[in-house]
Amino acid sequence: KKSYAYEGRGDGDQLRAGGVQHDGADGGLPGRAGQLHDHRAPHPAAHPGHGAAQEVLRIRGGAAMAINYALVAFNTTVLTEAYLGAPGSFTTIARRILPRIQATEPHKKSYAYEGHLYHYIADEKGLICMCRANEEMQHKLCFEFLNEIRTKFLGTYEEEFHLGTENSFDSRFNRTLKDRMTFYSNNPSADAISHINNQVDHVTNKMKENIDIMLERGAQIETLVEKTGDIQATGVEFRKSALKVKHRVWWKNMKLWVLLFAVIGLVVAVIIVTLLLALHGLP
């Protein structure tokens, strides 16, 4: 537990906690009015595999508790929005922030309006999810809320949201925004669920990596089996060719031996005939 005493001064706002003043570096607490804080950090929860920058821009403004306002927009067109409690100027402030957002690549940012933060995530499709929360609300819970809203919205309206007009999705998605704002603002298990979701995502990514490795190894084994089959087929063909060559050589040798014996026989016959003739010619 901790108590902060807030003091407004001409040269900027300061916080005192137990007699120690903080200048806004601790957990996104208010610093000097108009001061720009640029936090470079990856955003795997919103868009796995993409790096993003989180910018906190200080401007002057009003008050709220937990997450009390959220919207889904296509570029600068608010498709649906919802708030808890009484209406306020936050709808106007959110619409002033939308033109500043360049939805050309996945990223997240947070605009600080005095004691409240306007968190948003945007993607390359031009879809923007934004919520308003007090600064004591954990940033990761706010972005978990936005990620869930984005997933639910795209899961149903991905093919048609770019055709929407101002508040044209209120009747279909307003209740979902209110339900999830209430859950993340009041349910103590939201942080635990966020932690479990992160663990599930981590395990899922590991499983995907292992499956990719197994598939790669399987492809290598299939290639090896194919090569082994080719070698076996080549060996059979080589054996057949060797037998044919062996038979050819054997027949050639046989022909040579037959010819040799025939020549020798002929020579012997000539000699014998010559001798016989010579013997008969004697007186």
Side-chain angles (χ1 to χ4, degrees), residues 96-107:
R96 287 174 53 195
I97 294 175
L98 286 176
R100 302 177 181 222
I101 301 173
Q102 296 181 353
T104 56
E105 60 180 1
H107 70 284

Side-chain angles (χ1 to χ4, degrees), residues 230-271:
D230 294 341
I231 292 173
Q232 289 177 346
T234 304
V236 172
E237 292 295 327
F238 178 78
R239 184 177 180 183
K240 290 180 178 179
S241 300
L243 289 174
K244 289 180 180 179
V245 171
K246 183 179 179 181
H247 290 157
R248 255 193 236 109
V249 171
W250 184 83
W251 277 111
K252 186 176 181 180
N253 290 335
M254 286 298 296
K255 290 177 181 179
L256 288 174
W257 282 107
V258 169
L259 181 61
L260 180 60
F261 284 123
V263 171
I264 293 173
L266 182 60
V267 171
V268 171
V270 170
I271 293 172

